[in-house]
């Protein structure tokens, strides 16, 4: 089942934080999340609190937007029924968010829209609602429900995506290609010490390899659904792969001397990205690719073309 999150910046969400600043109100929220909709009398009875106190706290939670209420007819008059709104409230100290640069073209690619693949087990896919197809069966990667994938994992092989080269539509010249995605190694269970060499290939050219340090499961991913077992991969590291006239870089560190000209992006209507783990990798530790609804970053694979 999909989950509802509320992300709160303390500077902007003070009423919400005040709504949470009471053990009684937190108890009400936890009760509604566990039991489902309840009226004020039921809440007071279960929590052993005075009805007047519950009514006051319910009003504060409603004003903060943390619950919603509706009035229903009861045996005697009306009753206020309370509903939980969010599954989790995340307090985030946001940095100033930089808007998309005017000379950048972005395309977000859902994980399941790969155009080709070759993978070995252990492998699998899942959406935010559940497992897709059969676990550890590579042919499951052909399942039509793969379009809903929010997490993909495999041991060896690759998945390949075909992005539109929208710079051709705007008649602009590309000066840098950037891919941003959340990645980790893949091991049965999890292990923070499980290196894996994950290689990116663009238009048939290996731009370089990033070695993931492990498969992370020490805590639940910020966006990982709660039906997903805690002993499974929870989140990855958000990595930025860039290729320009100076070479190829991951998070600003050079990974190869491949330059933008080597990719011949101006000659093609699409830009092909392959993410994989080679059979001859020094650290063949598999790969998890996290998409929207899983991991610590609510995004799919992002292509950013910087133009001039």
């Amino acid at each position: 089942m999909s989950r509802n999150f509320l992300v709160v910046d303390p500077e902007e969400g003070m009423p919400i934080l005040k709504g949470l600043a009471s053990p009684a109100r937190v108890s009400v929220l936890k009760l509604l999340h566990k039991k489902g909709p309840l009226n004020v009398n039921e809440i007071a009875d279960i929590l052993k609190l005075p009805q007047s106190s519950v009514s006051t706290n319910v009003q504060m939670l409603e004003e903060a937007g943390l619950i919603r209420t509706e009035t229903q007819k009861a045996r005697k008059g009306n009753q206020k029924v309370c509903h939980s709104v969010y599954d989790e409230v995340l307090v985030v100290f946001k940095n100033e968010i930089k808007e998309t640069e005017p000379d950048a073209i972005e395309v977000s690619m859902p994980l399941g829209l790969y155009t080709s693949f070759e993978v070995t087990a252990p492998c699998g896919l899942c959406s935010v609602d559940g497992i897709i197809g059969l676990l550890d069966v590579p042919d499951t990667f052909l399942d039509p429900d793969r379009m809903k994938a929010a997490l993909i994992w495999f041991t060896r092989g690759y998945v390949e995506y075909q992005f539109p080269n929208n710079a051709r539509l705007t008649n602009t010249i590309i000066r840098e290609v950037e891919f941003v995605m959340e990645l980790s190694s893949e091991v049965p269970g999890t292990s923070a010490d499980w290196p894996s060499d994950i290689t990116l290939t663009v238009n048939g050219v290996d731009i370089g390899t990033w070695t993931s340090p492990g498969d992370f499961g020490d805590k639940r991913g910020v966006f990982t659904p709660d039906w997903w077992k805690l002993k499974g991969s929870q989140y990855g590291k958000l990595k930025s792969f860039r290729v320009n006239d100076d070479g190829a870089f991951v998070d600003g560190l050079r990974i190869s001397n491949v330059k933008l000209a080597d990719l011949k992006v101006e000659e093609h209507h699409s830009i092909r990205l392959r993410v994989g783990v080679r059979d001859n990798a020094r650290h063949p530790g598999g790969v998890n690719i996290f998409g929207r609804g899983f991991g610590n970053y609510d995004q799919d694979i992002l292509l950013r073309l910087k133009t001039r």
Side-chain angles (χ1 to χ4, degrees), residues 19 22 24-25 28-29 32 38-41 43-44 47 50-70 80-83:
S22 160
R25 291 193 288 277
V28 171
L29 289 173
L32 293 176
L38 296 170
N39 63 42
V40 172
N41 289 337
I43 295 172
L47 296 180
Q51 182 180 339
S52 58
S53 174
V54 171
S55 296
T56 299
N57 284 306
V58 162
Q59 182 178 350
M60 293 185 67
L61 290 170
E62 187 176 16
E63 290 174 352
L66 291 167
I67 66 171
R68 64 179 178 86
T69 63
E70 59 178 341
K80 179 179 282 191
V81 178
C82 307
H83 298 258

Side-chain angles (χ1 to χ4, degrees), residues 17-295:
L17 297 183
K18 288 181 179 178
L20 294 170
S22 160
R25 291 193 288 277
V26 171
S27 295
V28 171
L29 289 173
K30 292 172 69 175
L31 179 64
L32 293 176
H33 179 69
K34 180 179 180 181
K35 297 286 190 180
L38 296 170
N39 63 42
V40 172
N41 289 337
E42 291 170 328
I43 295 172
D45 183 58
I46 294 172
L47 296 180
K48 309 300 181 186
L49 293 172
Q51 182 180 339
S52 58
S53 174
V54 171
S55 296
T56 299
N57 284 306
V58 162
Q59 182 178 350
M60 293 185 67
L61 290 170
E62 187 176 16
E63 290 174 352
L66 291 167
I67 66 171
R68 64 179 178 86
T69 63
E70 59 178 341
T71 302
Q72 295 181 355
K73 288 185 178 181
R75 186 178 305 174
K76 295 181 180 180
N78 295 322
Q79 63 180 1
K80 179 179 282 191
V81 178
C82 307
H83 298 258
S84 175
V85 176
Y86 300 104
D87 298 294
E88 292 188 22
V89 178
L90 310 174
V91 179
V92 177
F93 295 93
K94 298 179 182 176
N95 295 320
E96 184 176 348
I97 299 174
K98 187 171 74 173
E99 296 183 359
T100 301
E101 300 174 36
D103 60 347
I105 302 171
E106 293 187 354
V107 177
S108 180
M109 181 67 69
L111 288 196
L113 292 185
Y114 45 81
T115 53
S116 66
F117 72 92
E118 183 177 314
V119 301
T120 63
C123 60
L125 313 109
C126 65
S127 70
V128 295
D129 297 316
I131 299 294
I132 296 172
L134 300 174
L135 292 177
D136 301 332
V137 177
D139 283 350
T140 284
F141 278 61
L142 294 170
D143 191 311
D145 279 344
R146 68 184 175 86
M147 301 300 182
K148 303 175 184 177
L151 173 63
I152 292 175
W153 68 95
F154 53 89
T155 306
R156 307 282 192 281
Y158 66 86
V159 286
E160 184 171 285
Y161 300 87
Q162 193 165 4
F163 289 81
N165 185 356
N166 289 335
R168 290 175 62 98
L169 302 178
T170 57
N171 293 316
T172 51
I173 298 174
I174 298 172
R175 60 182 174 85
E176 183 176 83
V177 174
E178 179 184 17
F179 293 97
V180 182
M181 67 197 81
E182 185 175 357
L183 301 169
S184 79
S185 309
E186 163 57 20
V187 61
T190 63
S191 173
D193 184 16
W194 189 264
S196 184
D197 296 337
I198 301 171
T199 299
L200 263 65
T201 303
V202 179
N203 288 351
V205 178
D206 289 351
I207 66 169
T209 297
W210 170 67
T211 301
S212 169
D215 183 358
F216 307 108
D218 57 307
K219 58 186 176 181
R220 184 171 296 281
V222 173
F223 296 99
T224 300
D226 55 6
W227 65 264
W228 181 249
K229 59 187 179 182
L230 277 172
K231 62 181 179 181
S233 307
Q234 292 295 319
Y235 62 91
K237 293 184 177 293
L238 192 67
K239 309 305 294 183
S240 167
F241 299 84
R242 299 185 179 190
V243 184
N244 53 36
D245 292 339
D246 296 322
F249 304 83
V250 59
D251 297 340
L253 299 177
R254 184 186 296 275
I255 53 174
S256 79
N257 292 321
V258 172
K259 295 181 171 57
L260 185 62
D262 299 321
L263 306 183
K264 298 181 169 48
V265 290
E266 72 283 351
E267 299 178 10
H268 303 282
H269 290 279
S270 65
I271 298 173
R272 292 177 291 111
L273 168 70
R274 180 175 289 191
V275 183
V277 177
R278 297 189 179 282
D279 288 337
N280 62 354
R282 180 181 178 188
H283 303 105
V287 62
N288 279 282
I289 309 175
F290 297 83
R292 191 175 299 277
F294 259 85

